[in-house]
Amino acid sequence: GEDVEQSLFLSVREGDSSVINCTYTDSSSTYLYWYKQEPGAGLQLLTYIFSNMDMKQDQRLTVLLNKKDKHLSLRIADTQTGDSAIYFCAERPGNNAGNMLTFGGGTRLMVKP
Amino acid sequence: DSGVTQTPKHLITATGQRVTLRCSPRSGDLSVYWYQQSLDQGLQFLIQYYNGEERAKGNILERFSAQQFPDLHSELNLSSLELGDSALYFCASSVGSSRVDFGPGTRLTVL
């Protein structure tokens, strides 16, 4: 079955880099996603990567994908207090009829001033 | 702003009641998905519609149903509500197989 795992909590100091990790089990995953959820808010799509890519960079965000180890990471450079939120990793399995996503449990990022 | 809209933002109702949640997808998106976010279950996929037709079904209870209309907006109907149905309900939309955007959610509280 499909399973996506994330660590629960990460704390960093403002200005440092944050690295949020995610592992998944479905080797046929086609796309992998990172979403951000602030308190009381919806899910904001940060970035997504196609499974044949190793890396994707978008301003302060860098996504690394190790398909062999089924490991995805999100690096946030120069982390700011406004980056404090819950970050969800999600995968779109490649063997289903629809495009539904399977989500990890979320990593709460706390940025200390 | 993702372009996906959901109404209402908040809904408070009693056990046994029925409610309807509404979603308008981002312009041009043909697929609509419904997800439930609760503290104990996390984000769970409920159901997907593509251009008016049911495409995939997840962990959706029989008391819940959905549909997608010709103008592509979608409604999620929740009936015989129980306390455990209290959650955030998200709608998402996509045009193809890559980008998936979520709406702001409807927070349902069942008392």
Side-chain angles (χ1 to χ4, degrees), chain B residues 5-19:
Chain B
T5 61
Q6 290 185 248
T7 56
K9 195 173 172 63
H10 300 280
L11 203 46
I12 301 174
T13 188
T15 54
Q17 295 298 304
R18 173 190 167 94
V19 296

Side-chain angles (χ1 to χ4, degrees), chain A residues 100-101, chain B residues 33-35 43-48 56-59:
Chain A
M100 75 287 278
L101 305 183
Chain B
Y33 316 78
W34 287 97
Y35 286 82
L43 273 156
Q44 297 282 319
F45 167 72
L46 296 178
I47 197 164
Q48 177 198 0
K57 224 168 185 175
N59 300 321

Side-chain angles (χ1 to χ4, degrees), chain B residues 8-68:
Chain B
K9 195 173 172 63
H10 300 280
L11 203 46
I12 301 174
T13 188
T15 54
Q17 295 298 304
R18 173 190 167 94
V19 296
T20 297
L21 282 52
R22 194 178 193 279
C23 166
S24 291
R26 196 175 52 169
S27 178
D29 287 0
L30 298 178
S31 279
V32 168
Y33 316 78
W34 287 97
Y35 286 82
Q36 179 195 58
Q37 185 180 36
S38 61
L39 281 173
D40 55 344
Q41 295 288 324
L43 273 156
Q44 297 282 319
F45 167 72
L46 296 178
I47 197 164
Q48 177 198 0
Y49 280 82
Y50 177 82
N51 203 20
E53 300 289 327
E54 183 183 303
R55 185 78 180 266
K57 224 168 185 175
N59 300 321
I60 188 166
L61 300 171
E62 284 192 17
R63 301 183 284 109
F64 296 1
S65 65
Q67 55 184 327
Q68 186 180 26

Side-chain angles (χ1 to χ4, degrees), chain A residues 30-31 33 35 37 40-45 48 88 92 97-104, chain B residues 9 33 35 37 43 45 48 55-56 88 90 94 96-104 107:
Chain A
T30 53
Y31 286 92
Y33 303 78
Y35 288 88
Q37 186 177 31
L43 292 166
Q44 176 193 352
L45 176 64
Y48 59 97
F88 289 93
R92 182 168 86 77
N99 291 337
M100 75 287 278
L101 305 183
T102 300
F103 282 85
Chain B
K9 195 173 172 63
Y33 316 78
Y35 286 82
Q37 185 180 36
L43 273 156
F45 167 72
Q48 177 198 0
R55 185 78 180 266
L88 258 173
F90 286 110
S94 70
S97 57
S98 56
R99 185 186 179 100
V100 182
D101 284 280
F102 281 74
R107 182 172 294 279

Side-chain angles (χ1 to χ4, degrees), chain A:
Chain A
E2 303 133 9
D3 198 17
V4 180
E5 299 282 343
Q6 298 178 240
S7 53
L8 284 177
F9 187 76
L10 176 66
S11 177
V12 300
R13 292 225 171 263
E14 192 173 20
D16 288 349
S17 290
S18 308
V19 179
I20 302 171
N21 295 300
C22 170
T23 58
Y24 58 98
T25 57
D26 189 346
S27 57
S28 68
S29 293
T30 53
Y31 286 92
L32 295 118
Y33 303 78
W34 284 104
Y35 288 88
K36 175 184 179 183
Q37 186 177 31
E38 297 182 69
L43 292 166
Q44 176 193 352
L45 176 64
L46 291 176
T47 187
Y48 59 97
I49 187 169
F50 187 49
S51 58
N52 69 352
M53 296 171 63
D54 298 323
M55 186 182 90
K56 182 177 180 181
Q57 189 156 2
D58 184 2
Q59 298 181 9
R60 291 190 299 122
L61 305 179
T62 303
V63 177
L64 295 178
L65 175 60
N66 182 327
K67 201 171 178 182
K68 174 176 166 289
D69 294 338
K70 301 191 195 70
H71 182 267
L72 182 75
S73 67
L74 174 70
R75 179 177 178 269
I76 306 172
D78 186 26
T79 313
Q80 303 297 308
T81 54
D83 295 323
S84 293
I86 301 177
Y87 290 79
F88 289 93
C89 163
E91 63 154 359
R92 182 168 86 77
N95 58 354
N96 61 6
N99 291 337
M100 75 287 278
L101 305 183
T102 300
F103 282 85
T107 299
R108 182 178 295 275
L109 174 64
M110 178 181 288
V111 182
K112 297 178 182 176

